[in-house]
Amino acid sequence: MQDLYPTRGAAEVVTPRQDPVVWGPSEGFESYEKDGFLTVDQLLADDEVAFYRRELERMIADPAVRADERAIVEPQTRSVRSVFEVHRMSEVFAGLVRDERVVGTARRILGSDVYVHQSRINVKPGFGASGFYWHSDFETWHAEDGLPRMRTVSVSIALTENHDTNGGLMIMPGSHRDFLGCAGATPEDNYKKSLQMQDAGTPSDGALTTMADRHGIRLFTGRAGSATWFDCNCMHGSGDNITPYPRSNVFIVFNSVENAAAEPFAAPVRRPEFIGARDFTPVR
């Protein structure tokens, strides 16, 4: 299969985007097309937020969940950082994935049926939860999971208020238009380290400075129940949370069934299925 987006070679390389941003009718998605993201002030009502918060809290308090390989803990505090494949571990979150407000939007953006490439809850508790360094998700999903095209969309649904101080999501608007192929080979079992702190597949300081100068940086704040849809190739990240206030969210990645994962383009082996799905069954 032709590699349209080379990465993890000897040097960084910029490749203009070869794919549409919105694969279906663009009406209603003009800002997503332009900036690479779309915000919804209130996707979930207050009672729904409380319902999903209870399930999140139940899961992170469950010793069986904590012992599962799909649970990732903070290196220093050993508190739960993320739990992957939550739509399989929890019928509550499986219901959220099937919610037409969620999966229906993904279908309209991607112009096809979709499956879940990845799902997780990000807990990010207060007093020291570490951030996520700048990266393009597609760079990792292409290099390590084998997604061939940019036909993937993520939604981050806030279950706590997103302040401007508690480690919120940052995106460089318009950065989805160019693919930044990173330098350096992928270590074996890279995922074990990258789920706690990303290293391979991260841009250089110079490249990030150039992109930030060109595109600027948008910080997302908002009430619990708000959501941000963003393109797989957006350059994004988040800072540490040293406030007392947690920033917890549900993160769901939808991929087109017409863009099913193949073999990795720049890694020795596939990542585990709980990180990069190999079940391409459409969400119904």
Side-chain angles (χ1 to χ4, degrees):
M1 182 181 295
Q2 182 184 6
D3 185 356
L4 297 177
Y5 299 105
T7 188
R8 307 204 184 177
E12 287 180 321
V13 58
V14 176
T15 303
R17 187 186 185 106
Q18 306 294 302
D19 296 306
V21 177
V22 178
W23 292 71
S26 60
E27 184 177 0
F29 296 107
E30 291 84 0
S31 65
Y32 182 90
E33 176 92 36
K34 174 178 176 288
D35 295 325
F37 57 81
L38 174 69
T39 57
V40 179
D41 291 337
Q42 188 175 13
L43 180 69
L44 303 180
D46 291 345
D47 60 334
E48 294 176 296
V49 170
F51 177 63
Y52 293 116
R53 275 282 300 277
R54 286 193 296 271
E55 179 66 358
L56 178 149
E57 290 163 1
R58 180 198 70 77
M59 293 185 71
I60 64 174
D62 185 343
V65 171
R66 186 183 180 88
D68 194 291
E69 68 171 341
R70 292 171 287 187
I72 312 302
V73 299
E74 290 284 348
Q76 302 300 322
T77 65
R78 309 307 296 171
S79 58
V80 174
R81 173 186 176 91
S82 303
V83 181
F84 282 80
E85 212 171 44
V86 291
H87 70 296
R88 295 193 182 278
M89 298 181 72
S90 163
E91 184 53 40
V92 169
F93 287 119
L96 180 60
V97 166
R98 295 190 298 264
D99 190 313
E100 187 61 25
R101 294 171 296 179
V102 178
V103 68
T105 300
R107 290 191 193 107
R108 290 191 291 276
I109 290 173
L110 301 180
S112 69
D113 279 334
V114 298
Y115 70 92
V116 177
H117 178 69
Q118 184 186 105
S119 71
R120 67 178 186 261
I121 48 175
N122 290 328
V123 182
K124 210 164 195 182
F127 298 117
S130 54
F132 293 86
Y133 197 69
W134 290 105
H135 64 286
S136 153
D137 286 329
F138 180 75
E139 194 280 336
T140 298
W141 300 337
H142 182 69
E144 300 187 41
D145 298 338
L147 294 192
R149 309 295 293 261
M150 294 182 182
R151 200 171 180 179
T152 314
V153 62
S154 301
V155 60
S156 175
I157 304 172
L159 298 183
T160 56
E161 186 165 354
N162 285 253
H163 304 284
D164 58 4
T165 52
N166 66 341
L169 173 69
M170 296 181 288
I171 294 180
M172 297 185 187
S175 58
H176 62 305
R177 292 291 183 179
D178 291 300
F179 175 73
L180 180 62
C182 297
T186 307
E188 190 171 349
D189 287 341
N190 177 59
Y191 78 93
K192 293 180 180 178
K193 179 181 178 182
S194 68
L195 295 182
Q196 293 182 328
M197 183 172 294
Q198 187 144 345
D199 185 13
T202 54
S204 68
D205 291 353
L208 287 170
T209 301
T210 298
M211 294 181 75
D213 287 345
R214 179 183 305 151
H215 300 293
I217 297 172
R218 167 81 181 272
L219 170 66
F220 293 88
T221 59
R223 57 175 291 174
S226 62
T228 303
W229 292 89
F230 59 102
D231 179 81
C232 59
N233 191 44
C234 284
M235 189 61 66
H236 67 288
S238 64
D240 296 349
N241 182 14
I242 61 172
T243 76
Y245 311 111
R247 177 187 167 258
S248 299
N249 67 299
V250 185
F251 184 77
I252 307 164
V253 180
F254 293 101
N255 188 38
S256 169
V257 296
E258 299 171 11
N259 189 46
E263 290 304 307
F265 284 87
V269 294
R270 302 172 179 176
R271 298 194 299 174
E273 291 195 26
F274 71 85
I275 305 172
R278 295 285 161 171
D279 179 353
F280 311 133
T281 306
V283 176
R284 300 295 187 202

